Amino acid sequence: MERELISKKDLLELTGISYGQLYRWKRKQLIPEDWFIRKSTFTGQETFFPKDMILARIDRIMNMKEDLSLDELAGKLSPYQVDLTLSKRELIERNIVSVLVVDRFSTLAQQNGQEAYSFEQLLYLYATDRLLSDGEISLEESGMLMETLRNHFPRFEGKPCELLFMRKMGVSMFALVAAPPALYFDPGVKIVIKMQLTELAEQLRGELN
Amino acid sequence: MTSGAIGDLKMDGIGTVAGGVYRTVNINGVCKVDEDIAAQKFDVKGRIRIRGNLTADELDVDGTMSVGGALSAERASFDGVVTIEGGYAGQQLRMNGMLEVGGDCEADVIEGEGAFKIGGLLNAGTIRLKLQGRGSAREIGGETICIGKGRTGAWHALWKWMVPGIAPELKAGVVEGDDIELDHATADIVRGDRVAIGPGCVIGRVEYQTELRKHPSARIGEEARLHG
C-alpha cells in the first residue's frame, strides 16, 4: 500500500499557509521531522509529505493556534505523550472501544473502575478493537495482538512503528517494526494488515479530544 | 532548567573540566570537556573543546569552540570560530565570525556577520547575515531571509585573515521563505512570497507570489509567478 504524498508547493497552495509558517512549525516540532520526505524530481530536490497526515495536522494547528502559544501546542501534538487517562465508564460511554474488547483485556482494577487507562493502553485497545470489528482478526488472535503490543510497543519509545499481521498456511503472526520497513516474504505469506501506529494514535486522539 | 544545589564552575588557564550540570560556567583559557555539559550561563573566553553535547540558557563565546555533539542554547553570542558536529537549536543567535554546523541549525532569530557552513537545514524566523566569507547550507528556510555581502571597511583586513581566500558569497540548494533578499548568492531554487535577487546572483529557478525584484547583473534561469 503506497501512501499518497503531496508536494510542499501543492500543500501550501491547498492550505494557504506560507513557507515561513511551515518552517516555523517545523522548528517548534509541530510537524515531525520524518514527515519531510525528500525526493528528486525534474525540477531538482522537492519535499513531499504524507498527504492525509499533514493535512489533518495543519488543520489541527490552525484550529488550536488561536488560544495556545506554539510551545504549548507542541506538547499537545506529540504522538504518544498524552497525559490523558480515561475510566472504563467513559471509555464505553463515548463508544471509543467496544465493550467486548474492554472486558476481555482490562485488569481487575480497571474493570472495577479503580484504575484508569493510560493513553498507551487505550491505543492497544483501540487497535485491537479496530481490527476485530473490521473482521481482520479472530478473537483468539486479538489476544496475541494485545500481548505483542504490551510487550514490545514501549520499546519504540515513541518512534514511529508499524504493525504487521501475516498469515501463512493458516498460521498467523504479528510483528511490530520500525517505520518505514523494508520487509520481503516468500510467496506463501499473505500480509493481512499493515497499520501505522502513529497514525492510529493520531486518530485516537482525535476521538478523545 | 531547574537549579537545585548545583555549583558554579570557574577556570583560568589550561585544563580538563568535568561534565555535568552547573549554574554558571566561566572559562578563561584553553579547556577540554569529555562529557555532556549543561549550564544556565556559559561563558568562554579562549578555546574550548567539548566531546559531548552542550546545553545552555545563555552562551557567550569569545574565541573558538568545538562541540562534538549537539548544541542547544536559548540565547547565544559567538565571536570567533564555532564548530558543531551535531545540530544547533535555540532562540537567538548572534554571530561574528565563522559558524560551522554539521546538522540542522534552528533558531528564531539569527543575526550577524561572517561566514557559515550548515550541513543540513538553516531554519530561522529571521535570518540577517552579512557575509565576509563563504556562506553555505543545503537548505535555507524561514520567514525573513536576508543574506548578502558584508561591507568592506576597516575590519576587512581582519576578516580576510580569519576567513582566508574565500569570496563572500552564498551557496545553497534551496532557499524558501516569505521575504527573501539575497545578493552574491548561488542557488538552485529560490521560492518565496516577496523575493529580491541582488547583484552577483546566479539562481536556477525563482518562484514567487507577490513580487520579484532583480538586479540587472543577476542571472536567473527560470522565473515563475505562482498564485497562492
Side-chain angles (χ1 to χ4, degrees):
Chain A
M1 188 176 64
E2 193 54 34
R3 48 180 342 146
E4 205 185 331
L5 297 177
I6 183 168
S7 77
K8 192 190 270 171
K9 201 198 291 177
D10 293 342
L11 177 74
L12 297 188
E13 215 163 284
L14 198 67
T15 55
I17 61 173
S18 72
Y19 284 111
Q21 270 171 311
L22 192 68
Y23 278 105
R24 181 157 38 166
W25 293 345
K26 176 172 197 262
R27 222 163 52 235
K28 299 288 177 193
Q29 275 146 29
L30 300 182
I31 302 171
E33 177 78 48
D34 50 277
W35 288 9
F36 287 75
I37 303 163
R38 300 160 52 78
K39 279 191 170 182
S40 300
T41 59
F42 66 96
T43 48
Q45 280 280 353
E46 276 260 28
T47 307
F48 291 84
F49 300 90
K51 189 169 177 180
D52 39 349
M53 278 155 86
I54 190 83
L55 286 178
R57 176 59 63 92
I58 287 178
D59 194 50
R60 289 194 59 191
I61 297 172
M62 306 272 264
N63 285 327
M64 286 162 77
K65 169 166 100 159
E66 272 125 52
D67 33 64
L68 289 173
S69 77
L70 284 179
D71 291 316
E72 287 170 324
L73 211 61
K76 284 227 184 306
L77 288 170
S78 76
Y80 308 117
Q81 258 70 44
V82 175
D83 40 352
L84 191 134
T85 54
L86 228 58
S87 72
K88 184 188 168 194
R89 204 168 52 84
E90 284 176 288
L91 192 58
I92 291 168
E93 256 173 29
R94 292 169 66 176
N95 206 13
I96 294 167
V97 179
S98 69
V99 186
L100 176 90
V101 172
V102 175
D103 283 343
R104 206 177 161 96
F105 299 111
S106 297
T107 61
L108 207 61
Q110 285 171 335
Q111 292 275 14
N112 300 335
Q114 290 160 343
E115 206 181 286
Y117 296 85
S118 72
F119 184 77
E120 274 192 7
Q121 287 167 329
L122 285 174
L123 182 66
Y124 304 160
L125 291 175
Y126 190 64
T128 310
D129 188 57
R130 167 74 65 91
L131 296 180
L132 260 179
S133 58
D134 285 354
E136 307 269 26
I137 58 174
S138 70
L139 207 51
E140 206 177 309
E141 285 160 346
S142 71
M144 241 161 66
L145 171 61
M146 274 309 272
E147 208 186 317
T148 315
L149 287 171
R150 277 184 187 144
N151 290 342
H152 302 301
F153 183 73
R155 293 190 194 182
F156 284 95
E157 293 169 345
K159 289 200 228 18
C161 65
E162 272 184 20
L163 174 73
L164 288 178
F165 177 57
M166 300 147 287
R167 272 186 227 274
K168 185 184 182 181
M169 310 284 283
V171 179
S172 52
M173 61 171 131
F174 288 97
L176 274 180
V177 287
L183 282 173
Y184 306 96
F185 297 99
D186 68 80
V189 176
K190 181 174 183 329
I191 298 177
V192 186
I193 293 155
K194 202 168 166 194
M195 195 160 73
Q196 290 266 353
L197 287 178
T198 331
E199 209 170 308
L200 196 76
E202 194 101 335
Q203 288 171 11
L204 174 60
R205 280 183 352 172
E207 285 201 32
L208 291 176
N209 291 329
Chain B
M1 211 180 296
T2 51
S3 60
I6 49 174
D8 296 343
L9 173 78
K10 186 161 168 47
M11 201 203 79
D12 298 294
I14 301 172
T16 304
V17 161
V21 180
Y22 297 96
R23 202 169 55 200
T24 64
V25 173
N26 242 305
I27 290 163
N28 290 299
V30 181
C31 166
K32 208 165 82 179
V33 184
D34 281 332
E35 303 109 53
D36 291 356
I37 187 163
Q40 285 176 6
K41 205 166 176 330
F42 201 100
D43 201 333
V44 180
K45 286 184 179 59
R47 192 188 183 100
I48 184 167
R49 201 167 89 209
I50 301 167
R51 286 262 176 82
N53 302 310
L54 168 60
T55 309
D57 290 350
E58 231 170 281
L59 172 66
D60 191 351
V61 180
D62 295 288
T64 63
M65 177 170 84
S66 76
V67 180
L71 169 63
S72 155
E74 300 285 279
R75 285 173 302 285
S77 165
F78 299 150
D79 290 278
V81 181
V82 173
T83 310
I84 303 157
E85 276 176 40
Y88 168 84
Q91 286 176 359
Q92 277 195 23
L93 169 62
R94 198 192 56 73
M95 61 170 272
N96 248 308
M98 170 82 197
L99 172 67
E100 199 172 319
V101 179
D104 291 351
C105 179
E106 305 189 334
D108 291 342
V109 182
I110 299 178
E111 283 176 319
E113 207 163 332
F116 63 88
K117 186 175 171 191
I118 314 290
L121 166 71
L122 172 60
N123 179 353
T126 307
I127 306 175
R128 272 179 213 288
L129 289 170
K130 289 274 165 227
L131 293 175
Q132 298 287 356
R134 170 178 285 194
S136 77
R138 197 191 65 205
E139 272 177 74
I140 302 175
E143 281 137 76
T144 306
I145 300 169
C146 182
I147 303 176
K149 192 162 129 179
R151 65 191 187 285
T152 48
W155 291 97
H156 189 63
L158 182 66
W159 279 113
K160 272 202 120 137
W161 172 76
M162 273 174 74
V163 196
I166 298 170
E169 54 173 14
L170 173 70
K171 275 201 184 327
V174 181
V175 182
E176 290 174 337
D178 297 342
D179 289 283
I180 302 176
E181 221 173 288
L182 303 174
D183 65 69
H184 301 90
T186 306
D188 298 334
I189 305 174
V190 175
R191 298 191 183 100
D193 185 16
R194 287 171 295 278
V195 181
I197 304 291
C201 283
V202 181
I203 314 286
R205 181 180 166 84
V206 176
E207 293 172 10
Y208 65 102
Q209 276 170 16
T210 310
E211 65 162 342
L212 170 66
R213 281 178 289 138
K214 53 182 174 180
H215 192 269
S217 75
R219 283 194 286 148
I220 298 175
E222 287 173 68
E223 290 172 23
R225 181 166 189 171
L226 306 176
H227 298 277

